[in-house]
Amino acid sequence: MSTSDQDQSVDTPIPAPDAGTATEAEAETEVDAEAEVEAEAEGEAEGRRLTPRQARRLRIALSSVGMVAMAVVLGLRIASRSSVLVVGVYGLALILCGVVIELSRNGRTRLGSWLLAVGLVAAIGSDWLLIP
């Protein structure tokens, strides 16, 4: 060390090149840590909630089962009465199940759940009301 280095005070803080970004990152880290603590507290309180990964897997499984069921019903309905309306209704239900699977894979499980429930009820209701 040179004498000029020794003359500097040890307690003098070294300024950060971008102090605003560092404090923002620290604040985000603190907020994330608080959110994790709250989530753990809620999980311990309720104890029976699904983790996000489990919820996504459940929605994907339900959508896959719905897709298989709609394909079977589509096959049976085409065998009994061939109609463009039958193919349209059950084809849209199959597409909806695929969309719900993709939404679940991307973490949009609540939206996927609502779409799956409303879409399958709409498909069954339109089959009952529209298709003779």
Side-chain angles (χ1 to χ4, degrees):
M1 290 174 116
S2 66
T3 55
S4 62
D5 291 336
Q6 293 175 355
D7 292 337
Q8 291 180 352
S9 172
V10 177
D11 296 330
T12 306
I14 300 172
D18 192 11
T21 306
T23 49
E24 289 175 6
E26 290 173 1
E28 289 178 8
T29 305
E30 290 175 8
V31 169
D32 290 341
E34 290 174 7
E36 288 178 14
V37 169
E38 289 176 7
E40 289 176 8
E42 288 178 9
E44 291 173 1
E46 295 181 14
R48 299 183 66 178
R49 291 187 72 164
L50 295 174
T51 64
R53 177 173 284 183
Q54 289 172 333
R56 282 192 296 269
R57 288 182 179 170
L58 178 65
R59 286 353 176 259
I60 290 170
L62 290 174
S63 297
S64 299
V65 168
M67 187 178 273
V68 169
M70 289 297 135
V72 168
V73 172
L74 174 63
L76 294 173
R77 293 289 287 173
I78 287 177
S80 67
R81 166 163 271 163
S82 183
S83 170
V84 175
L85 192 56
V86 169
V87 174
V89 167
Y90 289 105
L92 287 175
L94 288 168
I95 291 170
L96 176 73
C97 290
V99 168
V100 170
I101 289 172
E102 283 301 312
L103 285 172
S104 296
R105 287 182 58 215
N106 292 322
R108 306 296 295 172
T109 54
R110 288 187 192 133
L111 176 63
S113 297
W114 281 104
L115 279 176
L116 184 64
V118 170
L120 293 181
V121 167
I124 293 169
S126 62
D127 179 23
W128 182 63
L129 290 174
L130 298 176
I131 303 171

mmCIF file with all atom_site columns, all heavy atoms in Angstrom, residues 18 26 32 35 39 45 53 60 73 102 132:
data_model
loop_
_atom_site.group_PDB
_atom_site.id
_atom_site.type_symbol
_atom_site.label_atom_id
_atom_site.label_alt_id
_atom_site.label_comp_id
_atom_site.label_asym_id
_atom_site.label_entity_id
_atom_site.label_seq_id
_atom_site.pdbx_PDB_ins_code
_atom_site.Cartn_x
_atom_site.Cartn_y
_atom_site.Cartn_z
_atom_site.occupancy
_atom_site.B_iso_or_equiv
_atom_site.pdbx_formal_charge
_atom_site.auth_seq_id
_atom_site.auth_comp_id
_atom_site.auth_asym_id
_atom_site.auth_atom_id
_atom_site.pdbx_PDB_model_num
ATOM 1  N N   . ASP A 1 18  ? -24.545 2.689   -8.933  1.00 0.00 ? 18  ASP A N   1
ATOM 2  C CA  . ASP A 1 18  ? -25.965 2.930   -9.175  1.00 0.00 ? 18  ASP A CA  1
ATOM 3  C C   . ASP A 1 18  ? -26.691 2.633   -7.876  1.00 0.00 ? 18  ASP A C   1
ATOM 4  O O   . ASP A 1 18  ? -27.245 1.557   -7.700  1.00 0.00 ? 18  ASP A O   1
ATOM 5  C CB  . ASP A 1 18  ? -26.459 2.058   -10.316 1.00 0.00 ? 18  ASP A CB  1
ATOM 6  C CG  . ASP A 1 18  ? -27.841 2.466   -10.793 1.00 0.00 ? 18  ASP A CG  1
ATOM 7  O OD1 . ASP A 1 18  ? -28.354 3.534   -10.397 1.00 0.00 ? 18  ASP A OD1 1
ATOM 8  O OD2 . ASP A 1 18  ? -28.420 1.704   -11.554 1.00 0.00 ? 18  ASP A OD2 1
ATOM 9  N N   . GLU A 1 26  ? -32.935 -4.388  -3.115  1.00 0.00 ? 26  GLU A N   1
ATOM 10 C CA  . GLU A 1 26  ? -33.050 -4.797  -1.719  1.00 0.00 ? 26  GLU A CA  1
ATOM 11 C C   . GLU A 1 26  ? -34.503 -4.739  -1.255  1.00 0.00 ? 26  GLU A C   1
ATOM 12 O O   . GLU A 1 26  ? -34.967 -5.622  -0.543  1.00 0.00 ? 26  GLU A O   1
ATOM 13 C CB  . GLU A 1 26  ? -32.178 -3.909  -0.833  1.00 0.00 ? 26  GLU A CB  1
ATOM 14 C CG  . GLU A 1 26  ? -30.693 -4.132  -1.024  1.00 0.00 ? 26  GLU A CG  1
ATOM 15 C CD  . GLU A 1 26  ? -29.859 -3.124  -0.252  1.00 0.00 ? 26  GLU A CD  1
ATOM 16 O OE1 . GLU A 1 26  ? -30.442 -2.265  0.450   1.00 0.00 ? 26  GLU A OE1 1
ATOM 17 O OE2 . GLU A 1 26  ? -28.626 -3.189  -0.351  1.00 0.00 ? 26  GLU A OE2 1
ATOM 18 N N   . ASP A 1 32  ? -40.316 -9.845  -1.297  1.00 0.00 ? 32  ASP A N   1
ATOM 19 C CA  . ASP A 1 32  ? -40.430 -11.267 -1.624  1.00 0.00 ? 32  ASP A CA  1
ATOM 20 C C   . ASP A 1 32  ? -40.315 -12.132 -0.373  1.00 0.00 ? 32  ASP A C   1
ATOM 21 O O   . ASP A 1 32  ? -41.043 -13.102 -0.208  1.00 0.00 ? 32  ASP A O   1
ATOM 22 C CB  . ASP A 1 32  ? -39.357 -11.676 -2.638  1.00 0.00 ? 32  ASP A CB  1
ATOM 23 C CG  . ASP A 1 32  ? -39.603 -11.084 -4.018  1.00 0.00 ? 32  ASP A CG  1
ATOM 24 O OD1 . ASP A 1 32  ? -40.757 -10.671 -4.274  1.00 0.00 ? 32  ASP A OD1 1
ATOM 25 O OD2 . ASP A 1 32  ? -38.652 -11.027 -4.815  1.00 0.00 ? 32  ASP A OD2 1
ATOM 26 N N   . ALA A 1 35  ? -43.500 -11.887 1.567   1.00 0.00 ? 35  ALA A N   1
ATOM 27 C CA  . ALA A 1 35  ? -44.567 -12.645 0.910   1.00 0.00 ? 35  ALA A CA  1
ATOM 28 C C   . ALA A 1 35  ? -44.407 -14.141 1.174   1.00 0.00 ? 35  ALA A C   1
ATOM 29 O O   . ALA A 1 35  ? -45.395 -14.849 1.390   1.00 0.00 ? 35  ALA A O   1
ATOM 30 C CB  . ALA A 1 35  ? -44.565 -12.369 -0.591  1.00 0.00 ? 35  ALA A CB  1
ATOM 31 N N   . ALA A 1 39  ? -47.046 -16.481 3.040   1.00 0.00 ? 39  ALA A N   1
ATOM 32 C CA  . ALA A 1 39  ? -47.560 -17.684 2.375   1.00 0.00 ? 39  ALA A CA  1
ATOM 33 C C   . ALA A 1 39  ? -47.356 -18.917 3.258   1.00 0.00 ? 39  ALA A C   1
ATOM 34 O O   . ALA A 1 39  ? -48.234 -19.779 3.342   1.00 0.00 ? 39  ALA A O   1
ATOM 35 C CB  . ALA A 1 39  ? -46.870 -17.879 1.036   1.00 0.00 ? 39  ALA A CB  1
ATOM 36 N N   . ALA A 1 45  ? -51.654 -22.334 8.580   1.00 0.00 ? 45  ALA A N   1
ATOM 37 C CA  . ALA A 1 45  ? -52.959 -22.093 9.185   1.00 0.00 ? 45  ALA A CA  1
ATOM 38 C C   . ALA A 1 45  ? -54.025 -22.983 8.542   1.00 0.00 ? 45  ALA A C   1
ATOM 39 O O   . ALA A 1 45  ? -54.837 -23.595 9.226   1.00 0.00 ? 45  ALA A O   1
ATOM 40 C CB  . ALA A 1 45  ? -53.341 -20.628 9.055   1.00 0.00 ? 45  ALA A CB  1
ATOM 41 N N   . ARG A 1 53  ? -47.617 -25.665 -7.832  1.00 0.00 ? 53  ARG A N   1
ATOM 42 C CA  . ARG A 1 53  ? -47.252 -26.758 -8.727  1.00 0.00 ? 53  ARG A CA  1
ATOM 43 C C   . ARG A 1 53  ? -48.312 -27.858 -8.694  1.00 0.00 ? 53  ARG A C   1
ATOM 44 O O   . ARG A 1 53  ? -48.697 -28.405 -9.730  1.00 0.00 ? 53  ARG A O   1
ATOM 45 C CB  . ARG A 1 53  ? -45.896 -27.333 -8.322  1.00 0.00 ? 53  ARG A CB  1
ATOM 46 C CG  . ARG A 1 53  ? -45.492 -28.523 -9.186  1.00 0.00 ? 53  ARG A CG  1
ATOM 47 C CD  . ARG A 1 53  ? -44.110 -28.948 -8.893  1.00 0.00 ? 53  ARG A CD  1
ATOM 48 N NE  . ARG A 1 53  ? -43.241 -27.967 -9.522  1.00 0.00 ? 53  ARG A NE  1
ATOM 49 C CZ  . ARG A 1 53  ? -41.926 -28.037 -9.534  1.00 0.00 ? 53  ARG A CZ  1
ATOM 50 N NH1 . ARG A 1 53  ? -41.323 -29.016 -8.920  1.00 0.00 ? 53  ARG A NH1 1
ATOM 51 N NH2 . ARG A 1 53  ? -41.211 -27.132 -10.135 1.00 0.00 ? 53  ARG A NH2 1
ATOM 52 N N   . ILE A 1 60  ? -54.129 -29.635 -15.130 1.00 0.00 ? 60  ILE A N   1
ATOM 53 C CA  . ILE A 1 60  ? -53.717 -30.321 -16.352 1.00 0.00 ? 60  ILE A CA  1
ATOM 54 C C   . ILE A 1 60  ? -54.347 -31.709 -16.411 1.00 0.00 ? 60  ILE A C   1
ATOM 55 O O   . ILE A 1 60  ? -54.845 -32.134 -17.460 1.00 0.00 ? 60  ILE A O   1
ATOM 56 C CB  . ILE A 1 60  ? -52.177 -30.392 -16.436 1.00 0.00 ? 60  ILE A CB  1
ATOM 57 C CG1 . ILE A 1 60  ? -51.612 -28.988 -16.706 1.00 0.00 ? 60  ILE A CG1 1
ATOM 58 C CG2 . ILE A 1 60  ? -51.723 -31.371 -17.508 1.00 0.00 ? 60  ILE A CG2 1
ATOM 59 C CD1 . ILE A 1 60  ? -50.111 -28.888 -16.583 1.00 0.00 ? 60  ILE A CD1 1
ATOM 60 N N   . VAL A 1 73  ? -67.264 -38.868 -26.245 1.00 0.00 ? 73  VAL A N   1
ATOM 61 C CA  . VAL A 1 73  ? -68.647 -38.445 -26.513 1.00 0.00 ? 73  VAL A CA  1
ATOM 62 C C   . VAL A 1 73  ? -68.790 -38.006 -27.967 1.00 0.00 ? 73  VAL A C   1
ATOM 63 O O   . VAL A 1 73  ? -69.799 -38.307 -28.614 1.00 0.00 ? 73  VAL A O   1
ATOM 64 C CB  . VAL A 1 73  ? -69.063 -37.319 -25.535 1.00 0.00 ? 73  VAL A CB  1
ATOM 65 C CG1 . VAL A 1 73  ? -70.410 -36.738 -25.910 1.00 0.00 ? 73  VAL A CG1 1
ATOM 66 C CG2 . VAL A 1 73  ? -69.095 -37.849 -24.116 1.00 0.00 ? 73  VAL A CG2 1
ATOM 67 N N   . GLU A 1 102 ? -52.687 -25.443 -21.560 1.00 0.00 ? 102 GLU A N   1
ATOM 68 C CA  . GLU A 1 102 ? -51.624 -24.457 -21.773 1.00 0.00 ? 102 GLU A CA  1
ATOM 69 C C   . GLU A 1 102 ? -51.670 -23.350 -20.729 1.00 0.00 ? 102 GLU A C   1
ATOM 70 O O   . GLU A 1 102 ? -50.635 -22.897 -20.258 1.00 0.00 ? 102 GLU A O   1
ATOM 71 C CB  . GLU A 1 102 ? -51.719 -23.857 -23.180 1.00 0.00 ? 102 GLU A CB  1
ATOM 72 C CG  . GLU A 1 102 ? -51.194 -24.770 -24.253 1.00 0.00 ? 102 GLU A CG  1
ATOM 73 C CD  . GLU A 1 102 ? -49.737 -25.149 -24.029 1.00 0.00 ? 102 GLU A CD  1
ATOM 74 O OE1 . GLU A 1 102 ? -48.903 -24.269 -23.758 1.00 0.00 ? 102 GLU A OE1 1
ATOM 75 O OE2 . GLU A 1 102 ? -49.433 -26.346 -24.106 1.00 0.00 ? 102 GLU A OE2 1
ATOM 76 N N   . PRO A 1 132 ? -80.455 -32.305 -31.710 1.00 0.00 ? 132 PRO A N   1
ATOM 77 C CA  . PRO A 1 132 ? -81.602 -33.201 -31.488 1.00 0.00 ? 132 PRO A CA  1
ATOM 78 C C   . PRO A 1 132 ? -81.214 -34.636 -31.222 1.00 0.00 ? 132 PRO A C   1
ATOM 79 O O   . PRO A 1 132 ? -80.210 -35.123 -31.453 1.00 0.00 ? 132 PRO A O   1
ATOM 80 C CB  . PRO A 1 132 ? -82.408 -33.093 -32.781 1.00 0.00 ? 132 PRO A CB  1
ATOM 81 C CG  . PRO A 1 132 ? -81.508 -32.527 -33.796 1.00 0.00 ? 132 PRO A CG  1
ATOM 82 C CD  . PRO A 1 132 ? -80.395 -31.834 -33.076 1.00 0.00 ? 132 PRO A CD  1
#
